[in-house]
Amino acid sequence: MTEISSLSSLLKRLEAATTKLEDLAMSGASASNVSSSLTGNSGAHAPQGQLSQLAESAPAGGAAAGQESSHPHVEAFDELLDGPVKSYFELSKAVGGLVEEQAKYVCSLFAAQREMILVATLSQKPPLTSDVFRQLLEPTRVELSKVVDVRERSRSNPMATHLTAVADGIPALGWVAIEPKPAPYIGEMKESAQFYTNRIVKDWKEKDQNHVLWARAYMSLLDELQNYVRKFHATGLVWNPKGNTLDSNNLNRASAVAASAPAAPAPAGGGPPPPPPPPPPPPPQMMDAPSTSAKKPTETDMSAVFAQLNQGEAITSNLRKVDKSKMTHKNPELRASGMVAGTAGKPGSPKRAGPGAPPKPASLTLKKPPKLALEGNKWVVENFENNNEVILDKVELNHSVYIYGCKNSTIQIKGKVTTVALDSCTKTGICLESLISSLDVVNSKSIQAQILGRAPTVSLDKVDSCMVYLSQDCLDVEILTSKCSAINVLTPDSTEAGAEGDFVERAVPEQFLTKIVNGRTVTTAVEHSG
């Protein structure tokens, strides 16, 4: 009877110990497990494992490990992972191809961010400019660069619009480094991506509804992320004021554990994952103690310096004597010439500096080859010289045009585009039909621009001499100028005396008068009469 009772108590103790191990394993779920549960892959990424080891090896005890998994910040983020993130990934799998590949990196990025939030619940806030915080952001940066890289190497892919939508919106996960209002930053990234998701909905609503659902799921993901940050991290990532202090030693110790321990596979049958490995032993004191042999060269060098300083007046005995013929205060002619002739045969005599290198002639300047290409949705026109036959006749409504480094050339754009930008051009003319957004001219000289249709805005920045020809339909345009000179706007002559095709030239003011009126500055353009 005694043996049966002993066996029963032993089983109860064994069951209690197993339950504790399972609880610890569940509370220490690493980013690799989170990512694999979303994507279905068993592989783990090293950077996320590094953060998970840091969270697990923090000297907070079992109670802290249990508290971190039940923290409202972490629970709400887990709901985000199980809801919008998982829905976005499932629809990415339905689309397939590079969209699915990019979605895997997005899931890994969210998993890395979950680990960073875990670390923040256990640690005091480090300075945002410190090396420790930069190391803590490294996993997020690595995964973010992978997401963007998929877009950069696949601009000619049929799914380029999908990849661009994700690449333009995913920097929203950088909110962890934004203070004091990270939620509006996420809103800005969401607006950047919305242009492309709207286009996806327009292009695919009659072809494949999976693409429409995918675009809406991605925008819903950014919306929910913004709501989460607005609710739990309104003024920035929340840290634990009573937690542990993060330093390089903690991060290095976590890196060593992540490098030595294999990645844990995802659970196959829904059971708890294996318990995390125990934290590594503290580093030996000999590693921290400075080596005495390393100090010997420094001590020797400093002793030599002090020995020379202790010489007193004898320290000047090695200085070279200056001949009286070279003393400017005794030779007025030397002061007039500003140069003392050196003595032949004596080392260390002053040498006259040679003339500076002449500027390289323009004929020898390396010229870059002209370029006219469509990169994604942007036409690139670069380095054309003395060419008046540059014509873009295959443009589409969502295309933009970027013109750079052109001289003595004329560019014609036949069709309606989103935006046109001229940068660092000289004596260049541009003729376009209509714009959705604006015509931007920056750092250019002697520019002539003609708008045959409509354009909402013309923006000129650091432009010297520019003629802007407007059509009858473009008279409601808004013209913005900054640091410009010799800007003239020409409009059709609507008078009875004016012939067809005549223009009336109007100058844009360059000189302004500012007065203080009732405590406020009032600025008006200066008008010259006579």
Side-chain angles (χ1 to χ4, degrees), residues 298-430:
T298 305
E299 293 177 353
T300 303
D301 295 341
M302 294 305 297
S303 62
V305 172
F306 286 118
Q308 292 181 0
L309 293 176
N310 292 331
Q311 292 180 10
E313 296 182 355
I315 196 172
T316 61
S317 59
N318 294 327
L319 296 179
R320 185 172 60 89
K321 301 294 184 181
V322 179
D323 189 77
K324 292 184 179 181
S325 61
K326 299 177 183 178
M327 296 181 180
T328 57
H329 65 283
K330 293 186 177 181
N331 297 275
E333 63 275 5
L334 294 180
R335 291 198 299 270
S337 63
M339 178 60 64
V340 179
T343 304
K346 289 187 178 181
S349 59
K351 297 181 180 179
R352 183 175 182 178
K360 182 182 290 187
S363 59
L364 299 180
T365 303
L366 180 63
K367 295 183 179 180
K368 296 182 180 180
K371 178 180 179 181
L372 175 61
L374 176 61
E375 298 179 354
N377 294 328
K378 180 172 71 174
W379 284 94
V380 178
V381 183
E382 294 182 351
N383 307 317
F384 280 94
E385 291 190 18
N386 304 316
N387 189 342
N388 295 323
E389 301 297 332
V390 183
I391 301 176
L392 281 71
D393 55 359
K394 297 181 180 180
V395 298
E396 297 180 6
L397 191 63
N398 61 327
H399 287 177
S400 61
V401 181
Y402 179 70
I403 305 171
Y404 176 80
C406 295
K407 297 180 180 179
N408 300 318
S409 300
T410 303
I411 296 96
Q412 301 181 45
I413 303 175
K414 297 183 177 181
K416 190 174 184 179
V417 295
T418 302
T419 60
V420 175
L422 277 80
D423 187 2
S424 303
C425 296
T426 303
K427 295 183 180 180
T428 301
I430 179 171

Side-chain angles (χ1 to χ4, degrees), residues 207-287:
K207 301 177 183 178
D208 190 347
Q209 283 297 316
N210 284 333
H211 294 261
V212 177
L213 296 176
W214 177 90
R216 292 173 178 170
Y218 179 63
M219 294 306 298
S220 175
L221 170 59
L222 296 180
D223 286 333
E224 293 300 325
L225 176 63
Q226 186 179 20
N227 293 335
Y228 165 78
V229 173
R230 186 181 290 115
K231 181 177 180 180
F232 294 99
H233 307 275
T235 59
L237 181 61
V238 176
W239 299 79
N240 186 357
K242 299 181 181 179
N244 305 296
T245 302
L246 286 178
D247 54 23
S248 300
N249 293 332
N250 291 339
L251 292 175
N252 294 335
R253 184 162 63 251
S255 301
V257 174
S260 61
Q285 296 297 327
M286 293 180 61
M287 298 298 292

Side-chain angles (χ1 to χ4, degrees), residues 437-439 451 454-459 468 470-471 473-480 489 491:
S437 180
S438 64
L439 168 64
I451 302 174
R454 292 179 56 85
T457 307
V458 175
S459 177
V468 181
L470 303 178
S471 66
D473 298 332
C474 196
L475 297 182
D476 58 346
V477 66
E478 295 181 352
I479 301 177
L480 307 177
V489 180
T491 58

Side-chain angles (χ1 to χ4, degrees), residues 22-340:
E22 291 176 352
D23 292 340
L24 288 176
M26 291 300 291
S27 65
S30 65
S32 60
N33 294 335
V34 175
S35 177
S36 61
S37 67
L38 292 171
T39 62
N41 297 332
S42 60
H45 298 278
Q48 290 88 359
Q50 175 179 343
L51 281 179
S52 66
Q53 297 294 344
L54 175 60
E56 293 162 4
S57 61
Q67 291 174 0
E68 68 175 16
S69 62
S70 60
H71 200 283
H73 301 172
V74 182
E75 290 180 351
F77 199 84
D78 288 340
E79 293 177 1
L80 181 68
L81 295 177
D82 294 336
V85 176
K86 194 168 186 179
S87 175
Y88 156 75
F89 179 74
E90 293 298 332
L91 289 169
S92 299
K93 291 173 62 178
V95 175
L98 290 175
V99 175
E100 181 181 1
E101 177 186 347
Q102 190 183 46
K104 292 180 181 179
Y105 294 133
V106 172
C107 292
S108 299
L109 177 58
F110 271 91
Q113 189 149 108
R114 180 187 186 274
E115 291 299 335
M116 186 171 183
I117 296 174
L118 278 174
V119 173
T121 60
L122 295 175
S123 310
Q124 298 179 11
K125 179 181 178 181
L128 298 184
T129 57
S130 63
D131 293 336
V132 174
F133 188 76
R134 282 194 291 268
Q135 295 177 33
L136 199 59
L137 278 177
E138 182 65 16
T140 299
R141 187 197 65 80
V142 171
E143 296 301 329
L144 180 60
S145 63
K146 292 179 181 179
V147 175
V148 178
D149 182 65
V150 175
R151 188 271 304 270
E152 294 299 328
R153 56 183 169 86
S154 309
R155 289 186 175 272
S156 59
N157 190 276
M159 296 291 114
T161 306
H162 298 63
L163 305 178
T164 304
V166 176
D168 283 6
I170 204 62
L173 273 77
W175 66 268
V176 292
I178 302 297
E179 289 183 351
K181 294 182 179 181
Y185 169 77
I186 299 177
E188 294 176 1
M189 298 300 103
K190 181 180 65 174
E191 292 175 359
S192 300
Q194 192 166 11
F195 172 81
Y196 297 97
T197 55
N198 290 343
R199 181 186 173 190
I200 294 170
V201 173
K202 177 182 176 182
D203 294 345
W204 290 90
K205 63 181 178 181
E206 303 295 338
K207 301 177 183 178
D208 190 347
Q209 283 297 316
N210 284 333
H211 294 261
V212 177
L213 296 176
W214 177 90
R216 292 173 178 170
Y218 179 63
M219 294 306 298
S220 175
L221 170 59
L222 296 180
D223 286 333
E224 293 300 325
L225 176 63
Q226 186 179 20
N227 293 335
Y228 165 78
V229 173
R230 186 181 290 115
K231 181 177 180 180
F232 294 99
H233 307 275
T235 59
L237 181 61
V238 176
W239 299 79
N240 186 357
K242 299 181 181 179
N244 305 296
T245 302
L246 286 178
D247 54 23
S248 300
N249 293 332
N250 291 339
L251 292 175
N252 294 335
R253 184 162 63 251
S255 301
V257 174
S260 61
Q285 296 297 327
M286 293 180 61
M287 298 298 292
D288 297 334
S291 174
T292 56
S293 60
K295 287 187 176 181
K296 289 183 178 179
T298 305
E299 293 177 353
T300 303
D301 295 341
M302 294 305 297
S303 62
V305 172
F306 286 118
Q308 292 181 0
L309 293 176
N310 292 331
Q311 292 180 10
E313 296 182 355
I315 196 172
T316 61
S317 59
N318 294 327
L319 296 179
R320 185 172 60 89
K321 301 294 184 181
V322 179
D323 189 77
K324 292 184 179 181
S325 61
K326 299 177 183 178
M327 296 181 180
T328 57
H329 65 283
K330 293 186 177 181
N331 297 275
E333 63 275 5
L334 294 180
R335 291 198 299 270
S337 63
M339 178 60 64
V340 179

